[in-house]
Amino acid sequence: MNRLLLTLLATTACLTGAEEKPPRQPNIVVIMADDLGYGDLSCYGAKAVQTPAIDRLASEGIRFTSGYSSASTCTPTRWSLFTGTYAIRGKDTGIAPPNGPALIKPGTVTLPSLLKGAGYRTAVIGKWHLGLGDPAPDWNGELKPGPLEIGFDHCFLLPTTNDRVPQVFVENHRVKNLDPADPLWVGNKKPSPDHPTGITHRKDLKMDWSHGHNQTIHNGISRIGFYTGGTAARFRDEDLADTFIAETRRWIESNKDQPFFLFFASPDIHVPRVVHERFQGKTSLGPRGDAIVQFDWTVGEIVKTIDSLGLREDTIIVLCSDNGPVLDDGYKDDAVEKLGSHRPAGPFSGGKYGVFEGGTRTPFITRWPGRITPGTSDEIVCTIDFAASFAALTGQPLPDDACLDSFNVLSALLGEKDAKGRDHLLQQGNDDKVLALREGDWKLMRLQKTWKPTATVSIDPAPVPTDVWALYDLSADPGERKEVTSQHPDRVREMREKLESILSSGRTRPIAK
Ligand code: NG6
Ligand code: CA
């Protein structure tokens, strides 16, 4: 055979090979902020703080005006994000304590397990807050079950929240840098009479507490819960963002050659708001504003990492929050005093813990250059929908008995023509006592007679409904200031029946035919 023929044959083989190879599945990166409100970003109207990195992400993608977290606190939102099921259907899905066990049982079909099944490398970096271990975390031994037992290949975690003990990283099944000679003890009782706490050593604290948060002191800040030991493993609050970004770069670089799913869970802008020194004092809003600036930097670094590795057009990035905003969440950090005209929930009422829109309607952005046409969208989408939507994106069938409330809203996430988001959404407060149903532009709240809004969330408080059921028309009254319950008895009855049937039927995702 002559050389020309050989070359021709080789070229044909190559071409055929290329045709047979399916296109690369897109990487999926979900960036979740903590306690970030609808009005906290400049692309959502904030003036007192500028968020150029997130604004750029929004201008290159879709900025949603009806993007939701599924609950107005952390643990239930994250539980639903992974399981695709409303947290009210699960057991103990409220805010998890420092020594809480793993809340998602091994074997559960989850967003990461679905993507792992589709051949993805999967990692969670950042805040976990879904418990570790069974029946409790073994801080000095193997911390399992945890993320690795529900579909993640890798994890690098802040175990709960940074206002809860302990301030250590968990890498896969272990506390990172733990010296066995200095074991870590975590508990909810003072370990010895002379153990310094936020009460006994209040005057030495670098950030004072306003409610709760007065137990073990670490890095000059008293926390929820007690701990001793693990000295070498402890981090400085100021270094959290940098450490998570360094870990993210490392993980993406070593997994860039195959499709990957990264859940990046920033601890910003949750309390204690103690950012790196280079971000301190950057805004007129005090530590809460500085934490927004640090979060914006974080997002910029993740985007830069993806783009500089040539993965820009191979990666869908979603930015969201786990619940709405709060000002004083237990530390005296001037969030209230320095608020000025900034409105953390934008045009909405309420915030974290509640079911006014501010509790769950949060920043929500998707970007996928080459696939998503930039713009804004009013479609209703929710963090609970990632499971069904990304399963659809990657061709994974959902078992009938999994992801019971996750809807495939992929067309909306990608901003396709005739995109369809949700027609309804159950909104959950801090626990199952406060719920709401949004259907189109109507919103029906179901309160309990005893319910009172958490005082510390009140930013321009809307009047609290006096009855158990309260109807609002979000198109005319996005701030939920004017109940229209008595004007629309039929609608109230229909929506009440629908809400009750959502609770009693055990699922809202239809079984595939
Ligand atoms: C509350 C804490 C609050 C915050 C919240 C969880 C007190 C008084 N308040 O119990 O500071 O930690 O739990 O926030 O302790 S979340 O965003 O993780 O849901
Ligand atoms: Ca939160």
Side-chain angles (χ1 to χ4, degrees):
M1 242 188 284
N2 68 25
R3 193 177 264 184
L4 179 68
L5 191 57
L6 265 177
T7 314
L8 261 177
L9 278 175
T11 314
T12 321
C14 257
L15 282 175
T16 324
E19 270 162 26
E20 277 166 10
K21 203 173 146 225
R24 182 187 159 126
Q25 301 261 45
N27 309 310
I28 300 170
V29 175
V30 175
I31 304 172
M32 179 170 263
D34 197 346
D35 298 359
L36 186 74
Y38 189 92
D40 278 328
L41 303 173
S42 37
C43 55
Y44 277 89
K47 296 272 184 293
V49 56
Q50 293 304 306
T51 50
I54 301 174
D55 295 1
R56 193 170 327 116
L57 191 77
S59 71
E60 293 174 359
I62 302 174
R63 188 178 64 83
F64 287 84
T65 61
S66 277
Y68 288 86
S69 59
S70 56
S72 60
T73 49
C74 169
T75 305
T77 286
R78 288 162 208 258
W79 192 89
S80 295
L81 187 149
F82 290 139
T83 63
T85 297
Y86 287 135
I88 41 159
R89 307 202 197 284
K91 207 174 146 274
D92 298 328
T93 56
I95 299 172
N99 267 335
L103 294 176
I104 303 175
K105 299 290 160 247
T108 309
V109 173
T110 61
L111 171 62
S113 78
L114 286 160
L115 293 175
K116 198 180 164 98
Y120 277 61
R121 299 284 297 161
T122 53
V124 48
I125 297 175
K127 173 178 176 177
W128 179 240
H129 210 189
L130 286 168
L132 292 167
D134 185 12
D138 175 4
W139 296 105
N140 300 291
E142 275 209 306
L143 284 161
K144 63 190 253 192
L148 304 196
E149 283 65 43
I150 60 160
F152 285 108
D153 298 316
H154 179 72
C155 69
F156 189 96
L157 312 171
L158 167 70
T160 54
T161 58
N162 202 21
D163 56 344
R164 284 171 178 71
V165 297
Q167 277 55 56
V168 297
F169 294 114
V170 170
E171 186 171 31
N172 297 327
H173 286 140
R174 298 266 168 194
V175 170
K176 194 177 162 77
N177 296 333
L178 185 68
D179 175 0
D182 179 27
L184 180 60
W185 173 86
V186 178
N188 52 17
K189 288 213 174 65
K190 195 165 154 149
S192 61
D194 60 350
H195 182 81
T197 68
I199 295 175
T200 61
H201 289 64
R202 191 163 188 178
K203 61 174 188 358
D204 303 332
L205 299 174
K206 79 173 168 199
M207 183 181 271
D208 196 6
W209 51 272
S210 57
H211 52 276
H213 304 96
N214 53 22
Q215 299 175 330
T216 289
I217 300 170
H218 168 68
N219 192 24
I221 301 159
S222 49
R223 322 268 168 166
I224 302 173
F226 297 96
Y227 72 125
T228 58
T231 316
R234 298 188 186 195
F235 57 71
R236 268 188 355 133
D237 305 69
E238 291 85 343
D239 299 327
L240 265 178
D242 284 343
T243 307
F244 285 140
I245 283 303
E247 175 62 15
T248 297
R249 272 199 213 110
R250 194 201 58 71
W251 189 80
I252 293 183
E253 275 165 18
S254 52
N255 288 279
K256 65 179 182 348
D257 295 330
Q258 65 221 90
F260 60 80
F261 165 58
L262 169 65
F263 180 65
F264 183 93
S266 172
D268 286 323
I269 58 170
H270 196 282
V271 297
R273 298 167 183 134
V274 180
V275 298
H276 191 267
E277 284 79 356
R278 70 186 183 281
F279 298 116
Q280 291 177 10
K282 286 289 172 219
T283 67
S284 60
L285 299 175
R288 187 174 185 280
D290 300 347
I292 297 175
V293 172
Q294 177 167 280
F295 176 65
D296 186 63
W297 170 83
T298 303
V299 174
E301 290 303 301
I302 298 172
V303 174
K304 226 193 280 170
T305 303
I306 290 164
D307 292 1
S308 66
L309 290 170
L311 301 174
R312 202 177 145 76
E313 306 206 333
D314 288 325
T315 306
I316 176 169
I317 301 178
V318 184
L319 182 133
C320 55
S321 180
D322 69 338
N323 52 253
V326 55
L327 293 176
D328 179 346
D329 206 14
Y331 291 98
K332 293 186 187 167
D333 62 6
D334 283 344
V336 177
E337 293 78 358
K338 295 196 167 168
L339 187 64
S341 58
H342 180 64
R343 288 294 166 266
F348 305 115
S349 294
K352 182 171 178 177
Y353 307 113
V355 280
F356 282 108
E357 288 295 289
T360 55
R361 207 193 291 202
T362 34
F364 204 114
I365 296 164
T366 56
R367 184 197 87 154
W368 184 358
R371 180 70 191 265
I372 286 179
T373 308
T376 58
S377 169
D378 297 331
E379 291 299 316
I380 302 176
V381 291
C382 178
T383 52
I384 201 172
D385 298 322
F386 295 150
S389 304
F390 294 143
L393 177 66
T394 55
Q396 292 301 292
L398 282 182
D400 282 345
D401 59 354
C403 306
L404 303 173
D405 303 292
S406 187
F407 286 4
N408 175 5
V409 293
L410 188 62
S411 68
L413 296 178
L414 301 181
E416 285 170 355
K417 211 165 142 268
D418 305 323
K420 271 266 149 295
R422 289 178 154 264
D423 60 356
H424 75 279
L425 175 69
L426 185 76
Q427 295 165 263
Q428 187 187 327
N430 187 23
D431 51 32
D432 57 5
K433 292 187 181 64
V434 193
L435 296 171
L437 174 66
R438 178 170 172 190
E439 212 176 3
D441 279 329
W442 295 97
K443 162 108 169 248
L444 183 72
M445 271 187 209
R446 189 205 73 171
L447 306 173
Q448 298 252 324
K449 283 245 157 62
T450 52
W451 185 77
K452 277 204 218 78
T454 313
T456 49
V457 209
S458 301
I459 304 153
D460 304 336
V464 179
T466 45
D467 205 350
V468 175
W469 299 94
L471 184 74
Y472 299 89
D473 175 1
L474 295 178
S475 63
D477 176 29
E480 294 163 286
R481 293 180 173 269
K482 199 170 144 279
E483 265 186 69
V484 292
T485 324
S486 56
Q487 289 96 304
H488 300 277
D490 291 347
R491 182 163 304 277
V492 171
R493 199 189 61 253
E494 278 163 33
M495 287 183 74
R496 182 177 163 165
E497 280 166 16
K498 176 144 187 171
L499 196 150
E500 282 165 349
S501 103
I502 288 172
L503 300 180
S504 63
S505 63
R507 67 182 302 144
T508 50
R509 184 172 68 82
I511 294 178
K513 284 185 204 88

